[in-house]
Amino acid sequence: SPEEIEARQFSDRLASSLRERITDKNIHLVGPAPATIEKINDIYRYVLYARACDEKVLIAIREHAEEFGRITGRNSDMIQFDFDPMGHY
């Protein structure tokens, strides 16, 4: 669908933008890939994982992603973050 293509293209552009900015080899980006539940309420979801030991680096990545969303006209609710995705277990 056009919505699915748009979501994939946005996630690809965001990942490329982040990879261009990251020069530290200790920061790992994985993805984008379809989320475990790929579509909710007709919204396609993709995940991009960033792993770094320094929380300040993750905050900078989040800020860049938010700015990227603003520049590209995405609502802030279209980009979500979880700084400790395994912390719930």
Side-chain angles (χ1 to χ4, degrees):
S1 76
E3 293 84 7
E4 182 177 10
I5 292 168
E6 181 181 353
R8 177 60 189 205
Q9 288 174 342
F10 175 77
S11 63
D12 286 339
R13 288 193 312 269
L14 174 58
S16 293
S17 176
L18 287 169
R19 286 188 174 96
E20 288 173 6
R21 294 182 51 104
I22 294 173
T23 57
D24 187 337
K25 299 296 181 198
N26 293 318
I27 301 169
H28 302 280
L29 288 179
V30 178
T36 302
I37 301 174
E38 189 174 354
K39 183 178 173 185
I40 296 177
N41 296 330
D42 293 327
I43 297 174
Y44 289 89
R45 304 167 58 227
Y46 283 82
V47 295
L48 176 65
Y49 294 101
R51 186 175 65 194
C53 293
D54 187 350
E55 186 175 5
K56 291 177 186 173
V57 171
L58 295 174
I59 291 169
I61 289 171
R62 180 195 69 200
E63 290 170 351
H64 177 74
E66 289 173 338
E67 180 64 19
F68 185 85
R70 281 190 290 275
I71 290 169
T72 58
R74 295 287 182 193
N75 296 331
S76 60
D77 63 340
M78 300 300 282
I79 300 175
Q80 298 175 346
F81 300 90
D82 186 348
F83 281 95
D84 188 13
M86 299 304 288
H88 305 292
Y89 301 102

